Amino acid sequence: MPQKLRLVLIGNGMAGVRTLEELLKIAPDLYEITVFGAEPHPNYNRILLSPVLAGEQTLEQIILNPLEWYAAHGIRLHLGAWVTNVNRAGQRVRAETADGQVIEARYDRLLIATGSTPFIPPLPGRELEGVISYRDIADTEAMIEAARTHRHAVVIGGGLLGLEAANGLKLRGMKVTVVHLAPWLLDRQLDPQAARLLQRSLESRGLNFRVHTQTEALLAGEGEAASRVRAVRFKDGSEVPADLVVMAAGIRPNTALAESMGLLCRRGIVVSDTLQTVTDPRIYAVGECAAHRGIAYGLVAPLFEQGRVCATHLAEVGLGRYVGSEVSTKLKVTGIDLFSAGDFMGGEGSEDIVLSDPFDGVYKKLVLRGDRLVGACLYGDTADGSWYFRLIRECRSVAAFRDQLMFGEAALPALPQGGPAAVATDAQVALAA
Amino acid sequence: MRETRSTCPYCGVGCGVIIESDGAQITGVRGDPDHPANFGRLCTKGSTLHLTASPAVQQTCRLLQPQWRAERGGAMQPLGWDAALELAADRLAATIDSHGPDSVGFYLSGQMLTEDYYVYNKLMKGLIGSNNVDTNSRLCMSSAVAGYKRTLGADAPPCSYEDLALADTVFIAGSNAAWAHPILFRRLEDARRAKPDQRWIVVDTRRTETAEGADLFLQICPGTDVALFHGMLSVIFAEQLADLAWLAQHTSGIESLHEILRGWNAERAAEICGIRLADLVQAARWFAQADRAGGATLSLYCQGLNQSSAGTDKNAALIHLHLATAQIGRPGAGPFSLTGQPNAMGGREVGGLANLLSAHRDLANPMHRAEVAALWGLPSVPEQPGLSAVEMFQAAAAGQLQALWIVCTNPAQSLPDQATVQRALQRCPFVVLQDAYATTATAPFADLLLPATTWGEKVGTVTNSERRISRVRAAIPAPGEARHDWAIGVEFAHRLEQRLPQNLHGQTTLFPYDLGDAERGAEQIWQEHRESTRGRDLDITGLSWDMLDRDGPQQWPLPEGADSGRVRLYADGHFPTPDGRARFVAIDYRPVAEPTSVEYPIALNTGRLRDQWHGMSRTGTLGRLFGHVPEPVVELHPQTLSEAGVSEGDLVRLRSPRGGLVLPARASTDLAPGQAWIPMHWGGDVLGGQDLDGRPMPGVNGLTQPASCPHSKQPELKHAAVSLQPAGLGWQMVALVWLPQAQALAAREALKPLLAQCAFAVCLPFGREPHAGGLSGVLLRAAEAEPATAEQAQALRGWLDRVQTLLGLGSRQALSYEDARRARRRMVQYQAENDTSPLQDRSGGRPLSGLLLAGDTQSESWLRTLLLDELPAEALGRGLLAPVRQASAHLAPRSPQVCSCFNVSEQAIREQLGHCSGNADQRLAGLQGALKCGTQCGSCLPTLRRLVAESLQAA
């Protein structure tokens, strides 16, 4: 029996481990696998940190792959181990642990899934105690702790992560203000009408908002408290008190290691449709750190799609191509349903269909170009989100049922054979291979 | 509460009413049990009169002060009465001065009281010196007038209502009395119940509700009445059913008619009429009482004969049948013209037509002219006949009239060939409109608006179909600054007299009536009129207002010395002709003036609806009167529909050589293939739309034609040749909104300008006043071509936005759906929480207060049910916006309303009939017991009987 190929995964997160799972399904015995993870935890569902913060789930509940899983698949797992160097010529990975221990591993294939890092705006005072980002279990635990001991929180950034953080902190008893630079919340996921409904709903839960507001500085306390943040000051001179400032102003692909390896990085590690880095075909990259056709995805669905394609290539049965993803969004705040996908803002050349039900707090917008659905923004009733998402991805004409489109798949009259659900698309064919 | 005896202002039956009021406001109405026309009964329209005088209507629809505009198209400005009358007097005096008296026209109405009529007739013929005074009775009764005069010698219906009960054969021709004269029809139904062998023959081009009750129905081709009557007369002579002895003694002219009749026999007549020969022969025998020696035959006829280019001939040919069989002058017999308007009779009595003079005198008769001049203290009255209604507007359109004064009528709705009429109103330099309502289609054309009193406010007398004079009394004072029509005429005349002193011929005034006391002033006018009747066929010198107050309504003639009026005329066989004989007239059948052709292959007929009256300025204020027929449609035979490639409910475009109209098509086997029927009520103020060349379409009379009877000058409103094609308007919208009544009325007015901006549009009320929450409904329906471009879609959305603003739709309380590019918009709105709607069960949430469906109206039927019946709707949520033909819940389409008084639907009646057993009468009684339908006004009884008969057939 020939010696197994060696696969090293840098980054023990959702994208990388999902790729391993896909690979193990196809080729369970092809590789000897080594995983380096910087966090001291096995792979967990980062998406569910918000419910943990909100007190709706526990850390144990969000673990995706317990240590036994790694063991059962013969995966060598190094937790709390930072990869410091990769020798591409020698195909060797070098990592260090917090206590200075050095670990080395050789690879035939290397998979980089280092994810992203929070973007910290260059604000005066960002180094103060009580100023944190929201990325991992440690951050979550820090917030839970702060909520126990402090009163006022400011979340900078009214995106998905910021709103989830704000909701969690509010539920943990803090008085929370969300500061958002753009004219409306979730400006990359919602149109202004939906955002207005969302803001109203969150306000009714006790959250405060400073929308379309630029932060100028984080102010320190005085005397003994001089090292901790005390307040946030805005461009207009006004201030709100803050014992805790959560930076949720966006993420950046974590490409530091890849750049040190000489891999081409441009808004992420540049990969081909087979998720191989364009610089070194032995090296793959998936997830938030990878830039495919110029896009680094920050949501989970594309990462899983990437993982599937990547796994087939690692398994050497690779026929599939990753051609990019349409992304859809959900906010994980209990009781708030929103969904958006595609070009939901519309604009020149697009046509909107809009439904509004102020009694149920429902707003839905569908955006069409010609006869195709290209975007959807749903607030309050997202039951048909996945159907719309499918229609958007399938690029299929909706002319025949345009008038029923808004009322969901269930409202459709019997369509001619091979209705929308039955039509397979290029993307699905490719992925199924 | 105060009670005031007066009359109903609708049809010519002339029912007595008792008006209940609190002194300031009319609060109720009921039939006057002592009035010999109705003995306490009222129809759907009469029994809701008080609701048409509600505060909301008074405030919103009435003209309450004089208004004028400095230039056409400009806004109306209020002005005082003095200024208004000075303005009018200056303009008319100047016009008369520069263009002569014949440059002025007065267009009056059969709804004016006798005293009103008298003043305007005297004003024109006496003071101004022109005979250009005509009335809308020209559209209604002038053929009956001319028919009576040509044959019997005087314009006098010889019969009485009591003849209905005494007749053995009732011959109903060109009358849907079941709808147009409901109380008279109730009496007729009573008669047949009391006298089961009474036979009804109905002649009509349509199978109307009147025809449903016929023992013999002759569905003739349009305009062939004379052929039918000649055919029947041939049979009568051929079978020796004529009363030759009576004929020889009391008639003249039969010889010359025989010349013509030689060309006629039953076969030819039946073929032309499109009926079975046996039916024609049967009709002749029944008419002549072949099997019942001594039996009486009564004819009842109306617009089917009158509104015809051969209207006088039709009347005369029918009267011939009575003369040949001596069916006149005795109980239960005679030719009985049913009057359309409440006081067309009174108008004729005072000579209020362009060819008549006071008290049935003729303009053409020099002695008559001299008599009238003497009565008025003038050397002469003008000789030249004036312009009749249609001619007057044709002259104005040709620039021959400088001033038009219109009183209590709506020519921009009711005259045929609206293109010409509207051109006339635009071209005539000075148009005065004197009306109780500010909302008529004519109002926008007026330079000066003068507010008049109306039902419940007026003082005077009217004469009904059976020559019966009733007092009209005021229950409440005039609202706002409104004045009585006669008083406006008198005050204007006084001012004109100052400017035309030479026309007074030495008198101080021709109008010496008390303006301070309306009762006294009106009585003075009436007394002058009474004096004019001395020695005439309608002599009422024995009548006084005291007698009317003491003994109630009286029939004419009632000459000095008589105790009471004459019930029946010509009992002695003496007729008011020079030789005392009735005349046969040598007339032959002439087909309709505008026969159908390849280009215009459809025969259009117009007619009346049960619950509407004329241009609907009064009935149109009540949503409940739209329960019976909610919206305009054109009825067409299913075969005609399919030949045109049209389905039921599709919009069709009708065109005549004069104009076009777009309406939804409704399949009906009541009329023959190749015919169309449209109610005459749908004018340009409710029915908008644009012709293919973008011109606004003025309603049904945009299609009808001005061709008139040469003798009566009555236009042929009942026949025009039209073409039919699918309208091809794919984008359709409907909005239904509940609003407080005054707001609803105001919204309809505000929406009117928008109606002309669409290819098809209609705006009507719905509802059920008095609504517990004071709400009234507004329905707007429109259609356009599907928007092909984004700009067209945007224009439609802009139009919808304006509609919504005016209807108060689209607040934050609305659920909405919009596909902007395709101009699809749907919107529903709930009633406010504090609403007082009659709803008991609120578990399903609030009912709808409004809805709008644009671009796709397929969910209308069930949403309409939810809205109109105020059913709980909130639970359906966003499902209310779904474009589905059927609701998820069990909502049946709303069934048509049959009984207006108790709001009983056809569906409810059919269901109840399922539990009824026995014969027809027992089933009907069962229905009435359970649902109360048909137990109040009885207007729906013909429908109930039809439904009962259907249930018997099914059983």
Side-chain angles (χ1 to χ4, degrees):
Chain A
M1 186 172 155
Q3 198 184 355
K4 283 188 183 177
L5 290 169
R6 289 161 299 191
L7 172 64
V8 171
L9 166 62
I10 305 174
N12 186 28
M14 295 174 74
V17 177
R18 169 58 73 96
T19 307
L20 293 185
E21 287 182 326
E22 296 285 347
L23 173 63
L24 291 168
K25 274 192 246 168
I26 313 167
D29 300 320
L30 190 59
Y31 290 101
E32 181 187 300
I33 301 171
T34 304
V35 176
F36 291 95
E39 285 190 74
H41 311 285
N43 179 34
Y44 62 92
N45 190 338
R46 195 179 303 282
I47 298 164
L48 296 182
L49 286 176
S50 291
V52 171
L53 176 63
E56 291 161 357
Q57 294 207 34
T58 62
L59 282 175
E60 290 70 36
Q61 286 170 323
I62 69 166
I63 297 294
L64 288 170
N65 304 82
L67 294 173
E68 300 78 48
W69 177 84
Y70 296 88
H73 289 90
I75 296 170
R76 192 171 301 132
L77 176 64
H78 302 288
L79 292 175
W82 288 83
V83 173
T84 53
N85 175 266
V86 175
N87 179 342
R88 283 167 52 203
Q91 294 171 237
R92 269 201 304 275
V93 175
R94 185 173 186 278
E96 286 180 17
T97 62
D99 54 11
Q101 191 190 341
V102 173
I103 306 161
E104 283 207 341
R106 289 180 64 85
Y107 66 86
D108 298 299
R109 301 281 184 276
L110 178 65
L111 177 57
I112 302 177
T114 47
S116 62
T117 51
F119 169 64
I120 307 293
L123 292 172
R126 66 184 181 279
E127 70 295 339
L128 288 169
E129 210 179 298
V131 180
I132 61 166
S133 58
Y134 181 27
R135 171 71 193 166
D136 54 26
I137 286 179
D139 296 334
T140 308
E141 286 174 331
M143 283 193 271
I144 293 170
E145 180 56 26
R148 250 198 300 274
T149 52
H150 292 87
R151 174 106 186 90
H152 298 285
V154 169
V155 176
I156 295 179
L160 288 170
L161 205 59
L163 294 181
E164 289 175 13
N167 181 58
L169 292 169
K170 169 71 195 161
L171 287 174
R172 289 193 179 268
M174 296 191 83
K175 188 168 161 36
V176 184
T177 300
V178 177
V179 186
H180 193 57
L181 187 58
W184 65 88
L185 297 177
L186 290 189
D187 52 299
R188 292 174 60 187
Q189 288 84 18
L190 296 180
D191 70 0
Q193 288 85 347
R196 206 155 38 234
L197 290 174
L198 170 66
Q199 183 174 336
R200 211 173 296 146
S201 169
L202 292 172
E203 280 167 348
S204 73
R205 292 160 179 243
L207 291 176
N208 302 304
F209 290 92
R210 295 291 298 261
V211 174
H212 212 170
T213 300
Q214 195 171 351
T215 306
E216 189 176 68
L218 310 181
L219 307 178
E222 290 169 357
E224 276 181 36
S227 61
R228 189 167 182 102
V229 68
R230 166 184 66 80
V232 174
R233 189 170 72 218
F234 305 111
K235 270 268 152 60
D236 65 3
S238 62
E239 293 178 13
V240 290
D243 315 309
L244 173 71
V245 174
V246 179
M247 293 290 192
I251 55 170
R252 297 287 180 269
N254 184 3
T255 57
L257 177 67
E259 282 173 61
S260 77
M261 293 161 61
L263 299 178
L264 177 65
C265 294
R266 195 178 292 142
R267 272 176 265 121
I269 305 165
V270 181
V271 296
S272 67
D273 288 357
T274 54
L275 284 314
Q276 283 164 301
T277 63
V278 296
T279 315
D280 185 339
R282 286 198 189 84
I283 304 179
Y284 292 74
V286 294
E288 290 175 318
C289 65
H292 172 263
R293 298 189 185 179
I295 301 172
Y297 294 94
L299 296 166
V300 71
L303 314 192
F304 287 175
E305 288 174 26
Q306 290 174 357
R308 268 206 302 281
V309 175
C310 183
T312 64
H313 284 272
L314 287 171
E316 297 177 340
V317 294
L319 292 170
R321 288 275 183 282
Y322 177 69
V323 294
S325 295
E326 284 290 348
V327 297
S328 67
T329 299
K330 286 191 173 176
L331 180 72
K332 291 167 298 301
V333 172
T334 303
I336 291 182
D337 291 323
L338 64 83
F339 171 92
S340 75
D343 175 15
F344 59 85
M345 284 300 287
E348 190 64 31
S350 70
E351 298 168 7
D352 295 349
I353 305 178
V354 177
L355 179 145
S356 166
D357 175 357
F359 302 98
D360 277 2
V362 170
Y363 168 83
K364 303 185 188 188
K365 178 164 89 173
L366 304 176
V367 180
L368 290 88
R369 284 186 193 275
D371 288 336
R372 296 178 198 293
L373 183 66
V374 297
C377 175
L378 311 179
Y379 184 87
D381 174 3
T382 56
D384 291 302
S386 55
W387 183 52
Y388 297 136
F389 189 43
R390 206 162 71 225
L391 290 172
I392 291 167
R393 284 185 307 178
E394 289 169 359
C395 290
R396 184 172 173 275
S397 170
V398 298
F401 51 97
R402 177 171 175 148
D403 289 346
Q404 285 79 35
L405 195 58
M406 182 60 83
F407 300 92
E409 197 169 8
L412 282 190
L415 283 170
Q417 238 223 314
V423 176
T425 66
D426 291 346
Q428 282 179 321
V429 170
L431 291 170
Chain B
M1 192 186 69
R2 239 179 66 187
E3 293 196 339
T4 308
R5 275 174 209 272
S6 191
T7 59
C8 172
Y10 293 125
C11 76
V13 175
C15 297
V17 296
I18 295 176
I19 306 172
E20 297 161 4
S21 70
D22 60 11
Q25 196 65 51
I26 291 172
T27 52
V29 71
R30 63 180 200 274
D32 180 349
D34 298 327
H35 197 286
N38 56 318
F39 297 108
R41 282 169 161 166
L42 288 178
C43 71
T44 43
K45 299 183 285 281
S47 59
T48 51
L49 270 168
H50 61 297
L51 301 172
T52 68
S54 70
V57 175
Q58 298 287 79
Q59 286 152 24
T60 316
C61 301
R62 291 293 298 275
L63 186 57
L64 295 174
Q65 58 183 344
Q67 296 175 28
W68 76 295
R69 66 182 119 224
E71 54 185 345
R72 291 282 164 88
M76 274 288 176
Q77 309 286 334
L79 80 171
W81 266 113
D82 280 337
L85 293 168
E86 284 292 311
L87 171 71
D90 280 345
R91 286 297 297 260
L92 259 75
T95 297
I96 292 163
D97 191 44
S98 3
H99 302 278
D102 288 335
S103 66
V104 176
F106 273 76
Y107 185 54
L108 312 179
S109 162
Q111 294 154 64
M112 294 166 75
L113 308 187
T114 302
E115 296 70 21
D116 300 325
Y117 250 125
Y118 187 88
V119 164
Y120 285 88
N121 199 43
K122 189 177 184 185
L123 166 63
M124 197 59 182
K125 292 171 183 169
L127 178 63
I128 294 177
S130 165
N131 288 315
N132 285 345
V133 54
D134 214 56
T135 88
N136 62 10
S137 296
R138 185 70 67 182
L139 312 181
C140 172
M141 299 317 295
S142 59
S143 293
V145 174
Y148 275 138
K149 288 174 72 171
R150 285 185 87 195
T151 53
L152 307 182
D155 171 23
C159 313
S160 288
Y161 293 152
E162 64 180 55
D163 288 319
L164 297 169
L166 304 172
D168 296 285
T169 296
V170 181
F171 187 78
I172 305 173
S175 159
N176 183 13
W179 282 13
H181 299 98
I183 296 307
L184 184 142
F185 198 73
R186 296 290 84 72
R187 291 182 70 158
L188 200 55
E189 290 176 320
D190 291 349
R192 189 157 65 173
R193 211 170 2 262
K195 188 173 174 176
D197 61 348
Q198 187 181 72
R199 300 180 287 214
W200 293 2
I201 307 168
V202 174
V203 182
D204 206 307
T205 59
R206 291 192 305 134
R207 183 178 285 277
T208 61
E209 265 192 9
T210 306
E212 295 280 346
D215 300 287
L216 177 60
F217 172 48
L218 306 178
Q219 189 164 17
I220 60 168
C221 295
T224 61
D225 310 64
V226 170
L228 173 69
F229 303 150
H230 275 13
M232 287 170 66
L233 194 56
S234 302
V235 173
I236 286 167
F237 282 119
E239 300 193 357
Q240 294 167 4
L241 299 171
D243 186 338
L244 295 176
W246 190 90
L247 189 153
Q249 200 179 347
H250 298 293
T251 72
S252 65
I254 188 64
E255 304 77 17
S256 55
L257 182 59
H258 271 314
E259 290 293 314
I260 291 165
L261 285 179
R262 252 196 285 283
W264 285 94
N265 56 36
E267 287 80 5
R268 181 181 171 214
E271 190 184 330
I272 287 177
C273 295
I275 58 174
R276 296 191 315 164
L277 173 64
D279 288 346
L280 186 147
V281 172
Q282 180 74 80
R285 289 175 184 162
W286 281 3
F287 194 102
Q289 304 292 354
D291 55 343
R292 289 186 199 168
T297 299
L298 181 71
S299 292
L300 304 172
Y301 51 96
C302 198
Q303 308 306 352
L305 300 198
N306 296 347
Q307 290 181 332
S308 163
S309 60
T312 308
D313 293 352
K314 289 181 178 180
N315 274 268
L318 174 56
I319 293 170
H320 288 165
L321 297 175
H322 285 274
L323 296 178
T325 54
Q327 290 290 355
I328 189 167
R330 55 197 185 86
F336 198 175
S337 154
L338 302 181
T339 315
Q341 299 195 77
N343 198 36
M345 288 285 287
R348 288 141 66 179
E349 286 156 27
V350 302
L353 285 162
N355 55 328
L356 298 179
L357 280 173
S358 296
H360 287 175
R361 287 180 177 87
D362 280 324
L363 208 59
N365 185 326
M367 219 160 71
H368 285 180
R369 288 202 303 277
E371 286 167 13
V372 171
L375 279 164
W376 289 349
L378 298 170
S380 67
V381 289
E383 178 182 349
Q384 184 69 27
L387 297 167
S388 69
V390 171
E391 293 167 342
M392 191 181 290
F393 284 83
Q394 284 171 339
Q400 291 158 11
L401 282 186
Q402 302 302 313
L404 259 177
W405 192 306
I406 300 159
V407 185
C408 193
T409 185
N410 188 9
Q413 194 275 345
S414 54
L415 278 168
D417 186 15
Q418 278 295 313
T420 301
V421 172
Q422 305 210 349
R423 199 164 61 247
L425 290 166
Q426 278 156 4
R427 184 153 184 194
C428 183
F430 187 55
V431 176
V432 181
L433 176 62
Q434 180 174 321
D435 206 306
Y437 290 88
T439 52
T440 71
T442 308
F445 294 97
D447 300 292
L448 180 64
L449 290 172
L450 301 177
T453 51
T454 185
W455 177 84
E457 301 151 13
K458 296 188 76 145
V459 174
T461 61
V462 291
T463 309
N464 72 4
S465 287
E466 61 165 357
R467 295 171 280 109
R468 191 177 297 279
I469 298 169
S470 297
R471 273 302 316 274
V472 171
R473 297 183 182 86
I476 55 168
E481 295 178 35
R483 293 185 179 177
H484 301 310
D485 284 311
W486 67 263
I488 299 169
V490 168
E491 296 205 42
F492 167 75
H494 288 164
R495 285 173 162 84
L496 196 64
E497 283 172 337
Q498 289 166 14
R499 288 161 176 82
L500 305 171
Q502 70 280 8
N503 291 13
L504 288 172
H505 297 280
Q507 299 184 77
T508 325
T509 176
L510 298 181
F511 304 90
Y513 318 121
D514 192 336
L515 285 164
D517 178 348
E519 272 283 325
R520 192 170 147 64
E523 188 178 2
Q524 286 168 341
I525 298 165
W526 182 83
Q527 281 164 347
E528 191 175 314
H529 158 62
R530 178 179 65 180
E531 189 50 37
S532 78
T533 66
R534 187 176 297 278
R536 303 287 305 157
D537 67 301
L538 72 167
D539 192 327
I540 50 169
T541 48
L543 186 61
S544 68
W545 278 28
D546 282 345
M547 186 176 177
L548 288 171
D549 285 343
R550 190 182 62 238
D551 301 336
Q554 299 296 322
Q555 285 178 290
W556 59 252
L558 202 161
E560 219 161 21
D563 297 336
S564 61
R566 201 173 306 156
V567 174
R568 212 162 283 108
L569 305 182
Y570 316 134
D572 55 1
H574 186 86
F575 292 89
T577 54
D579 60 4
R581 289 165 174 262
R583 293 178 287 234
F584 286 96
V585 190
I587 48 174
D588 206 349
Y589 162 67
R590 284 180 289 121
V592 292
E594 185 174 77
T596 55
S597 61
V598 175
E599 196 181 352
Y600 300 105
I602 309 284
L604 171 68
N605 181 11
T606 65
R608 279 136 193 83
L609 293 174
R610 190 190 78 187
D611 291 356
Q612 298 298 343
W613 205 70
H614 281 201
M616 306 191 299
S617 45
R618 181 182 291 279
T619 52
T621 60
L622 292 186
R624 62 181 284 152
L625 292 179
F626 289 78
H628 182 235
V629 176
E631 292 179 58
V633 291
V634 52
E635 287 190 9
L636 293 155
H637 192 276
Q639 187 184 319
T640 310
L641 277 181
S642 65
E643 279 166 12
V646 174
S647 302
E648 166 113 35
D650 286 358
L651 286 171
V652 294
R653 184 176 294 279
L654 299 153
R655 294 198 44 84
S656 82
R658 294 155 298 278
L661 186 64
V662 174
L663 279 179
R666 193 180 136 189
S668 169
T669 51
D670 292 343
L671 33 70
Q675 297 180 11
W677 186 72
I678 304 175
M680 48 97 74
H681 313 289
W682 310 126
D685 42 358
V686 294
L687 182 59
Q690 285 180 353
D691 209 339
L692 288 171
D693 54 13
R695 281 181 312 169
M697 297 187 295
V700 61
N701 285 316
L703 296 170
T704 53
Q705 51 148 342
S708 299
C709 170
H711 302 284
S712 70
K713 305 287 178 66
Q714 181 159 357
E716 189 154 72
L717 282 159
K718 287 220 169 253
H719 187 267
V722 298
S723 64
L724 169 73
Q725 63 190 83
L729 300 171
W731 183 89
Q732 308 200 352
M733 70 79 64
V734 63
L736 291 147
V737 180
W738 285 112
L739 289 169
Q741 195 187 10
Q743 275 181 44
L745 291 162
R748 282 172 54 205
E749 289 309 304
L751 283 166
K752 279 181 182 174
L754 297 187
L755 301 185
Q757 295 168 6
C758 283
F760 163 75
V762 58
C763 183
L764 298 164
F766 65 85
R768 184 155 180 85
E769 303 86 358
H771 182 280
L775 299 180
S776 195
V778 179
L779 175 147
L780 175 71
R781 185 184 300 284
E784 262 295 335
E786 280 282 5
T789 65
E791 290 69 34
Q792 286 168 0
Q794 189 178 10
L796 288 175
R797 294 200 308 275
W799 187 86
L800 287 174
D801 290 344
R802 292 195 289 283
V803 165
Q804 280 174 226
T805 305
L806 295 174
L807 288 176
L809 266 173
S811 66
R812 284 170 178 274
Q813 295 303 298
L815 275 71
S816 66
Y817 166 90
E818 176 153 76
D819 182 344
R821 170 58 189 82
R822 288 166 27 89
R824 263 82 179 125
R825 185 180 291 182
R826 291 193 286 282
M827 185 169 285
V828 296
Q829 206 160 280
Y830 301 126
Q831 291 191 6
E833 293 285 6
N834 59 359
D835 181 64
T836 51
S837 80
L839 207 65
Q840 298 302 312
D841 173 19
R842 294 222 165 218
S843 58
R846 292 173 285 169
L848 295 177
S849 74
L851 65 90
L852 177 141
L853 306 171
D856 179 342
T857 57
Q858 62 175 313
S859 54
E860 180 190 343
S861 70
W862 57 272
L863 280 174
R864 193 186 174 101
T865 304
L866 279 180
L867 185 118
L868 265 63
D869 294 346
E870 298 182 72
L871 300 173
E874 203 170 357
L876 291 169
R878 292 182 293 288
L880 293 165
L881 297 174
V884 290
R885 215 164 273 286
Q886 305 224 299
S888 45
H890 55 287
L891 281 169
R894 202 157 192 272
S895 172
Q897 183 194 61
V898 174
C899 172
S900 164
C901 300
F902 295 105
N903 189 24
V904 185
S905 72
E906 185 174 315
Q907 179 62 27
I909 290 164
R910 287 187 190 282
E911 279 169 17
Q912 186 61 37
L913 279 171
H915 312 300
C916 293
S917 57
N919 64 23
D921 286 343
Q922 289 164 333
R923 284 174 190 232
L924 180 61
L927 262 189
Q928 292 178 318
L931 302 176
K932 291 166 78 180
C933 49
T935 58
Q936 186 164 305
C937 82
S939 299
C940 62
L941 280 171
T943 312
L944 295 180
R945 289 208 185 83
R946 176 172 57 80
L947 293 171
V948 166
E950 283 176 19
S951 82
L952 276 169
Q953 275 166 15

